[in-house]
Amino acid sequence: MRISNLTPEDSEGASALWDQAGLTRPWNPPEADLLRALAGETSTVLGLFDGGTLVGTVMVGHDGHRGWVYYLAVAESHRGTGLGRRLMLAAEDWLRERGVVKLQLMVRSANAGVLDFYDRLGYEDADVQVRAKWLR
Ligand SMILES: CC(C)(COP(=O)(O)OP(=O)(O)OC[C@H]1O[C@@H](n2cnc3c(N)ncnc32)[C@H](O)[C@@H]1OP(=O)(O)O)[C@@H](O)C(=O)NCCC(=O)NCCS
C-alpha cells in the first residue's frame, strides 16, 4: 500500500471510486473537481494504491487560512482496516507541512453516519452553520 498524489490519468479510477462511495452528484462532474484540485498550488488529491489499484482518496487543500478535505473514500472491499484513518492522517500531514493549523470538513446531512468515524479521529463539532450559493 502506498499513498501518492493522483495525476490526471487517475481521473477515471477516482470517479468510479467516488461513485461507488456515494460522493458524486449528477450536476457536479467529479473529473472537473479532480483536475482543478491537481492544478492548484494549494491543493491536491492523495490516492491510496494497493499494488496498481486505486482503493482510496482524499482531496486536500487550503484557502490561505484553513485546510479542507473533500472526497474521502475507501473502496468497500478495503474498509474497516484503518485506511480511512491513514488517508486523513496523510491529509493532516500535507496541511501541517504548509503551516496550516486547522482542518475543517463538511458532511452531508444524509451521510450523518460517518460523523462517528470523524469522532474516532478526534474531529469535533465546530458549532457553525454553513451557507452556500451557486456562482453560475
Ligand atoms: C468513511 C470511510 C472513508 C471510512 O473508511 P475506513 O477505511 O472504513 O475507516 P477506518 O478503518 O480507517 O476506521 C477508523 C476508525 O473509525 C471507525 N469507523 C469507520 N467507519 C465508521 C462508521 N461509519 N461509523 C463509526 N465508526 C466508523 C473504525 O471502527 C475505526 O475505529 P478505531 O478508532 O477503533 O480503529 C469509508 O467508510 C467510506 O469511504 N465511506 C463512504 C464515503 C464517505 O462517506 N466519505 C466521507 C464523506 S464526508
Side-chain angles (χ1 to χ4, degrees):
M1 293 272 185
R2 66 181 167 90
I3 291 181
S4 60
N5 292 304
L6 293 191
T7 69
E9 287 68 44
D10 297 307
S11 175
E12 203 174 311
S15 295
L17 184 62
W18 296 344
D19 274 340
Q20 285 167 16
L23 297 180
T24 55
R25 293 294 180 269
W27 57 86
N28 189 24
E31 296 86 359
D33 288 345
L34 176 77
L35 295 178
R36 203 180 304 109
L38 293 183
E41 290 185 2
T42 58
S43 56
T44 192
V45 184
L46 303 176
L48 180 69
F49 291 87
D50 184 358
T53 307
L54 181 66
V55 297
T57 62
V58 63
M59 181 182 289
V60 57
H62 69 83
D63 54 23
H65 182 46
R66 299 302 187 209
W68 290 90
V69 295
Y70 300 91
Y71 287 112
L72 173 72
V74 172
E76 278 180 18
S77 54
H78 286 66
R79 288 186 194 165
T81 60
L83 298 181
R85 178 192 293 276
R86 191 167 153 190
L87 280 163
M88 284 300 293
L89 292 177
E92 292 171 12
D93 284 344
W94 191 95
L95 289 166
R96 261 190 218 101
E97 286 163 11
R98 287 157 182 81
V100 179
V101 298
K102 193 172 189 182
L103 169 51
Q104 306 188 154
L105 57 90
M106 292 180 280
V107 175
R108 290 188 179 111
S109 300
N111 196 21
V114 81
L115 288 171
D116 290 340
F117 163 79
Y118 290 115
D119 285 346
R120 302 289 299 167
L121 272 65
Y123 286 78
E124 298 172 343
D125 183 359
D127 193 23
V128 294
Q129 293 197 27
V130 175
R131 295 287 183 275
K133 180 182 180 182
W134 290 104
L135 302 179
R136 289 181 179 137

